[in-house]
Amino acid sequence: TDSAEANVYLLGGATPSSRQTNQYLLRNEIIKQAGEIVDELRYQLGLSAAQRDSEVAEEYIGLALKAFAEYFALAPPDEVANARAALRGVVAANNS
């Protein structure tokens, strides 16, 4: 399977597919943007309410959402559907 092949690669074996490489790069971009969002929000919280501006945080959020969309577009549709169904179950259980 793809995940078994990916695990072999991590141990020095098979080369990842271009899709896997792109997903890895996008994952790193998502993590980077999440860090930028956290840093910006911490900075903004240190300012008075009158000085706060959401423009930079919104830019980082937009970049993260773009990377997420690209990441999920590369994922197998059945895996995305299963993940979404699992999340719906978790949300429903938490709202009960």
Side-chain angles (χ1 to χ4, degrees):
T1 66
D2 283 343
S3 57
E5 184 178 306
N7 288 334
V8 170
Y9 168 72
L10 293 174
L11 298 172
T15 303
S17 68
S18 61
R19 179 182 55 81
Q20 289 171 320
T21 299
N22 287 336
Q23 282 184 303
Y24 181 80
L25 294 171
L26 288 164
R27 183 206 67 166
N28 288 347
E29 182 64 21
I30 292 163
I31 292 168
K32 175 186 164 197
Q33 295 306 325
E36 297 287 359
I37 294 164
V38 169
D39 290 345
E40 180 62 19
L41 293 177
R42 284 184 179 144
Y43 169 75
Q44 291 294 329
L45 288 172
L47 300 175
S48 70
Q51 293 176 306
R52 292 181 187 158
D53 184 358
S54 64
E55 184 177 343
V56 173
E58 290 173 9
E59 179 183 337
Y60 293 143
I61 291 168
L63 291 170
L65 291 173
K66 180 179 181 286
F68 268 117
E70 291 176 27
Y71 181 92
F72 287 118
L74 293 172
D78 59 323
E79 290 182 20
V80 173
N82 289 339
R84 287 184 173 151
L87 284 174
R88 280 193 294 273
V90 169
V91 170
N94 287 332
N95 288 332
S96 305

